[in-house]
Amino acid sequence: MQGERIPVDQGDRDSDTEIRPEAAEQPTPAPPDQPTPPDRPTPPDQLTPAPPDRRRKAVVAALMLAMALAALDSTIVSTAVPQIVGDLGGFSVFSWLFSGYLLAVTVTLPVYGKLSDTFGRKPVLITGAVVFLAGSLLCSVAWSMGALIAFRVVQGLGGGALQGTVQTLAADLYPLKERPKIQSKLSTVWAVSAVAGPGVGGLLAAYAGWRWIFLVNLPVGAVALWLIVRHLHEPQRTRTSRPRIDWAGALAVFACGGVLITALVQGGVAWDWLSAPSIALFATGLGLAGVVVAIERRAAEPIIPGWVWRRRTIAAVNLALGALGLLMVAPSVFLPTYAQSVLGLAPVAAGFVLSVWTLSWPVSAALSQHVYRRIGFRNTAMIGIGAATLILFAFPFLPYPGAAWQPMVLMLLLGAALGLFQLPLIVGVQSTVGWEERGVTTASVLFCRQTGQTIGASVFGAVANGVLASRLGGASDLDSVTRGLDAGAVPEATRRAIADAVHAVYLGAGVAAGVAFLVLLFLAPRRFPVLKEQ
């Protein structure tokens, strides 16, 4: 389904945007090494008129509900772990409640992106929602920690479809001129849901039981599913032959991503980075990466087409948003610990210090269109990430112990800077491809951002633990020190060590932001080749 299309005339395009007029008459041709198969779906622009605005609003409501579910379930379990472990046991493996979900979401994004370009967005979104709800129901009746982890993986298999397809449909529904509005709404839903997740999970676990954390998904997901089935009507697509699905490539991508993400998530936690399990997993992952390349080069319709990395615009955006995922770990993971241990705030107040960036991020994202229409997508994103770099580097200069308003101001500014950075890149890269390539393009962007977050959690965790060990003269790590703080038995020297550790993490995040700036400066084309819209 494609919403109403407004021609992008000379007055609508930004000064940094090249319009390719030939795209108005025909679909974007595949690259020379990727011939267009005869069963390629015809872009909806050329088949049906725009849907009624009321129907489009109903679909947007469904997308926002689906996005809220996917975001909530990435964090909602965290505060319910004591109740879950007390009921099911399995304390030594409970971290897989998060890692298993994250792994399944990340590795399935490229697969769902390709499937949505082949079969359409609606069947992929419905399938993902059904799998997600089935996983939620199974989680609610889990009888052991192993079963709960397995069912969380099932949830993640559906969550990958929700994340990727929702972002793709948002671009399908709205033309370039209106796309920032829907993307900023989705950004708001994601940010608020992710930050509210721990609080919601804690309340449900305390007053209703931890199983309701998963049962609450069922009515919300059912409403979203009903709205999609009733109001999302994609055009019929004529195919001269059966679709060719690269199942071998999908399996290879899943295996490679699963092994590498497991190595990143468990490295330095379950085993040392230079231990035999870690080395074996990384070696296996690299070997599987070679298998993926070999399969995808020979596939008629590869899951990860080569043009994703050969086109400068897409490749640069992928790398830049991968750096965004990496740097976001610093505030989202380490700032609450800093607020509690160094500033002496209660957990709720510490969460509020972090949550203020959810106020400025969507506002900045919504207003970014007024900037990129004048100076272009790349330049707008460079301003945003340049400001973010300075803000991240400023964090270590906060006074010790300082006041709560000081990191809050920095987080408010950081949210505004990242809103100015992320949304222009997503809108811009989605506008450089036609309908038949948009699912793969969007999935590659989200995959890189998710992978960046996984790498960031591993790398910055190692940095923080290394600083703590050097300051305290032992094998201390942030988790054990935090538990000591909760008991009220940690001396002042430990608090200063935690401050130094978090400062080091923020410096690392500043370096990641600087890398993103350089990627855009040297790799991204100055003019995004935006397709003219019908």
Side-chain angles (χ1 to χ4, degrees):
M1 164 185 169
Q2 188 103 346
E4 53 193 13
R5 291 294 179 181
I6 301 175
V8 182
D9 57 22
Q10 185 68 26
D12 283 333
R13 65 181 179 181
D14 57 83
S15 60
D16 191 45
T17 301
E18 174 187 357
I19 305 296
R20 291 188 282 182
E22 66 272 15
E25 286 79 31
Q26 59 186 12
T28 305
D33 60 327
Q34 300 291 335
T36 303
D39 59 343
R40 175 77 70 178
T42 306
D45 319 37
Q46 305 174 30
L47 295 179
T48 57
D53 190 59
R54 178 178 58 84
R55 179 180 298 165
R56 185 168 64 171
K57 289 180 179 179
V59 175
V60 169
L63 298 185
M64 294 175 71
L65 289 175
M67 181 66 78
L69 286 177
L72 271 173
D73 271 74
S74 64
T75 59
I76 196 172
V77 179
S78 59
T79 49
V81 167
Q83 290 86 352
I84 295 174
V85 171
D87 190 11
L88 301 180
F91 178 79
S92 61
V93 294
F94 82 87
S95 63
W96 275 100
L97 291 176
F98 317 100
S99 303
Y101 181 85
L102 171 67
L103 186 153
V105 168
T106 304
V107 300
T108 55
L109 279 169
V111 178
Y112 285 126
K114 183 61 181 180
L115 292 178
S116 73
D117 283 344
T118 303
F119 296 104
R121 324 299 189 210
K122 184 174 182 177
V124 173
L125 186 56
I126 290 176
T127 301
V130 170
V131 172
F132 181 87
L133 294 178
S136 299
L137 181 60
L138 290 171
C139 286
S140 70
V141 298
W143 55 89
S144 67
M145 182 62 75
L148 183 57
I149 291 171
F151 298 148
R152 281 283 286 172
V153 172
V154 174
Q155 261 195 319
L157 295 177
L162 296 183
Q163 284 194 33
T165 313
V166 163
Q167 293 280 9
T168 306
L169 262 172
D172 290 345
L173 285 168
Y174 288 86
L176 175 60
K177 188 175 182 179
E178 302 177 34
R179 206 165 289 157
K181 297 179 182 178
I182 179 62
Q183 291 288 5
S184 63
K185 289 179 181 178
L186 293 177
S187 297
T188 302
V189 169
W190 179 270
V192 172
S193 299
V195 172
V200 174
L203 289 174
L204 289 174
Y207 296 104
W210 65 264
R211 297 181 188 274
W212 280 95
I213 289 175
F214 305 105
L215 287 173
V216 75
N217 291 337
L218 300 182
V220 178
V223 172
L225 191 58
W226 179 80
L227 290 173
I228 290 295
V229 171
R230 180 176 177 83
H231 294 287
L232 178 57
H233 300 293
E234 294 187 292
Q236 294 183 352
R237 300 175 185 85
T238 57
R239 296 186 176 95
T240 58
S241 62
R242 291 185 61 184
R244 291 172 287 183
I245 306 301
D246 179 22
W247 295 117
L251 181 61
V253 168
F254 192 90
C256 177
V259 170
L260 289 176
I261 291 175
T262 300
L264 290 169
V265 168
Q266 295 298 101
V269 179
W271 47 69
D272 293 334
W273 285 107
L274 298 179
S275 65
S278 186
I279 294 173
L281 282 173
F282 278 114
T284 303
L286 292 177
L288 288 172
V291 173
V292 170
V293 173
I295 293 175
E296 297 299 84
R297 292 185 66 178
R298 300 181 62 180
E301 284 292 301
I303 292 294
I304 303 179
W307 53 261
V308 168
W309 292 103
R310 285 194 296 271
R311 298 183 191 177
R312 286 181 58 198
T313 304
I314 301 176
V317 171
N318 283 345
L319 293 174
L321 290 183
L324 170 66
L326 194 150
L327 70 88
M328 284 176 61
V329 171
S332 59
V333 174
F334 295 93
L335 185 60
T337 298
Y338 178 89
Q340 292 182 67
S341 60
V342 178
L343 302 181
L345 301 179
V348 174
F352 184 72
V353 172
L354 170 64
S355 65
V356 293
W357 74 344
T358 65
L359 303 176
S360 56
W361 189 316
V363 173
S364 173
L367 296 176
S368 66
Q369 59 178 314
H370 302 294
V371 182
Y372 68 65
R373 285 179 181 172
R374 288 172 171 79
I375 65 175
F377 293 115
R378 189 197 71 160
N379 292 341
T380 303
M382 287 176 63
I383 291 175
I385 198 62
T389 303
L390 297 178
I391 294 166
L392 290 167
F393 280 138
F395 189 90
F397 293 97
L398 291 178
Y400 177 88
W405 66 267
Q406 294 165 337
M408 287 178 65
V409 169
L410 288 184
M411 289 303 299
L412 200 66
L413 295 175
L414 183 63
L418 295 181
L420 202 61
F421 167 67
Q422 177 181 256
L423 189 133
L425 291 183
I426 291 179
V427 172
V429 77
Q430 288 181 328
S431 303
T432 65
V433 295
W435 183 95
E436 71 282 358
E437 295 177 343
R438 190 171 290 146
V440 168
T441 301
T442 304
S444 71
V445 168
L446 298 179
F447 175 80
C448 289
R449 190 180 66 183
Q450 289 280 108
T451 303
Q453 286 182 284
T454 304
I455 295 173
S458 301
V459 172
F460 290 151
V463 168
N465 291 337
V467 172
L468 279 176
S470 66
R471 295 291 188 275
L472 300 178
S476 301
D477 61 79
L478 196 60
D479 290 336
S480 62
V481 170
T482 303
R483 288 193 294 270
L485 281 172
D486 292 337
V490 177
E492 177 68 14
T494 303
R495 296 180 184 274
R496 287 188 176 274
I498 292 176
D500 291 341
V502 176
H503 290 166
V505 167
Y506 266 80
L507 288 175
V511 172
V515 169
F517 181 89
L518 295 176
V519 165
L520 294 178
L521 179 63
F522 293 109
L523 296 184
R526 190 182 66 84
R527 298 162 60 88
F528 274 30
V530 174
L531 299 182
K532 186 175 182 180
E533 293 173 314
Q534 185 86 3

